[in-house]
Amino acid sequence: MVHLSSIPTDEEVTSPVIEGFQKLGFEPEPDALHTSVYGSHFATQETPKHEMPETEMPREVAYRMIQDDLTLDGTPTLNLASFVTTYMEEEAEKLMTECFSKNFIDYEEYPVSADIQNRCVSMIARLFHVPTHDVNTTAMGTSTIGSSEAIMLAVLAMKRRWRKQRETEGKPSDKPNIIMNAAVQVCWEKAARYFDIEEKYVYCTPERYVIDPKEAVDLVDENTIGICAILGTTYTGEYEDVKAINDLLIERGIDCPIHVDAASGGFVAPFVKPNLEWDFRLEKVVSINVSGHKYGLVYPGVGWVIWRDPKFLPEELVFNINYLGAEQASFTLNFSRGASQIIGQYYQMIRLGKHGYRAIMLNLTRTADYLASALEILGFIIMSERNGRGLPLVACRLAPDSERMFDEFAVAHQLRVRGWVVPAYTMAPNSEGMKMMRVVVREDFSRSRCDALIADFKYALDTLEEMDEQRLQDYAKHVNQHRRMSRTGTFRRMSSLFSDEQHSLQGKTGKTHAVC
């Protein structure tokens, strides 16, 4: 997700960090020939933030100044909010670095890189049980920047196919709708809004956090372009019952496609729960997306989308173009892009194989179950599934009848003091404003690190329980201010002009969009 940024005014650019504070006003001496970075005049100047400098600086100075800024970022391995991969082997990193300069879209110049994408698409499609035993199978797919782009493409394909069918039948095609769980990731709201599609939500309850198959099918009408089912929901990691939706559609004779958002679960379920039917084994499933940079074990920047058959991908959306001497069919929202992430995905799939992926995902599942048991002993209510019935994560909340005067957001902030990023969220609408926390278990989250997190959870609870009511109120104010401040000491200005929007589920209901 990319944030909207506001452009600061000249007055804001020149204003001091603290009112009344004056910057150093002495004139620097000319640098000695062999001075260190911190002996140069650059060390006494503010790093350029708003306007490109007039003159150049030495490369080692530029590197050090930027690296010093980046030390204020969090540590990726302690960021348990995100599903995104934070570890790859040295050989994978080397391969990806060597491909930084390759423009993947230039198939004529880099035909092997293009073919590697084809290999990845084939491997993933077979993992999702595309019926390759049928000689008439013509399934297809493509790489994307991530699951957000993949979902945009899949939604666009469903809309265009529905509209074409309606126009053929001489019926109006101006009011398409799509059915989904109210706990969807924000990219689904974006897809519906950007492509003028009405959102029809199946709302969660305090006891149910996934889509209800019957409610979903009951919402289908002649204007429904499709149903979104999630293999691993953002909040609790549960697998929605795709088969139940599929079977209900068949039972009622309803012609409505299913798109499976397997962004997180697509590289987990096939190895941990291989007999779970959620993919192309179900006839109503027409397209699936998956993120390579989540449990596909690749650094950020790669996703995949697969279609069962070309008839579910309208021809008018595919452009046959001649670019740099090669004919190619293109269905994408982007064009020029590096080949590195695709090469990284291929490395992981042939390096690990099915056995390697299975070993990793089973280890993550065991670690998640271990953490869930520990947090349960500490008094948390576990909301996520165990034993591989969902993603390897732990979603939990404090007991509602607890006498504690603090909430999940206070616990999250206390863990942040210890370096951990364990987010707190407000659940999807109709969940009575329920608050929760979520720990994502990734490949580099070892048992040892898990034990350290458990100890810090206990420390956080003990610390907060020792605070009296007034101190907790002051602490809550501090937490709120901390969330609004950047680590450079200024208030965040990413999109303040739009902070009062009321059109999204977050704006309407207070739902927190979880990090993906």
Side-chain angles (χ1 to χ4, degrees), residues 496-510:
S496 59
L497 292 176
F498 303 99
S499 60
D500 59 347
E501 61 89 1
Q502 297 294 314
H503 60 80
S504 70
L505 282 176
Q506 178 168 310
K508 291 176 181 177
T509 68

Side-chain angles (χ1 to χ4, degrees), residues 4 86-87 111 119 166 235 269 275 305 348 393 455 477:
L4 285 171
T86 52
Y87 165 78
R119 299 176 200 176
R166 297 283 290 178
Y235 291 98
N275 294 324
V305 58
Q348 293 289 48
L393 60 78
K477 291 179 182 178

Side-chain angles (χ1 to χ4, degrees), residues 409-444:
F409 286 90
V411 178
H413 185 77
Q414 191 63 35
L415 287 170
R416 187 68 179 259
V417 172
R418 302 286 291 176
W420 302 101
V421 180
V422 177
Y425 300 115
T426 302
M427 261 295 281
N430 289 23
S431 300
E432 299 180 358
M434 182 187 298
K435 299 174 184 176
M436 58 164 287
M437 302 179 71
R438 187 192 72 188
V439 178
V440 176
V441 177
R442 295 191 307 270
E443 182 183 7
D444 55 352

Side-chain angles (χ1 to χ4, degrees), residues 334-354:
N334 296 284
F335 202 66
S336 292
R337 55 179 296 203
S340 298
Q341 265 59 27
I342 293 169
I343 305 304
Q345 184 74 81
Y346 185 58
Y347 172 90
Q348 293 289 48
M349 289 198 288
I350 68 169
R351 158 75 175 92
L352 296 172
K354 293 179 181 178

Side-chain angles (χ1 to χ4, degrees), residues 4-64:
L4 285 171
S5 298
S6 298
I7 310 302
T9 64
D10 290 344
E11 181 180 351
E12 290 171 318
V13 169
T14 57
S15 62
V17 175
I18 303 173
E19 192 64 34
F21 176 76
Q22 299 297 319
K23 297 181 180 179
L24 296 174
F26 63 83
E27 288 294 325
E29 296 180 5
D31 294 333
L33 182 61
H34 300 294
T35 188
S36 73
V37 171
Y38 296 111
S40 71
H41 72 277
F42 295 103
T44 64
Q45 296 178 346
E46 185 178 18
T47 304
K49 292 185 175 71
H50 307 292
E51 189 169 336
M52 187 183 296
E54 295 294 333
T55 58
E56 65 275 19
M57 66 172 65
R59 61 187 181 186
E60 62 271 18
V61 173
Y63 174 84
R64 175 55 61 180

Side-chain angles (χ1 to χ4, degrees), residues 167-187:
E167 290 173 348
T168 300
E169 296 170 353
K171 298 177 180 178
S173 59
D174 58 332
K175 294 182 179 180
N177 67 64
I178 188 167
I179 297 166
M180 53 185 138
N181 182 357
V184 290
Q185 212 272 340
V186 69
C187 64

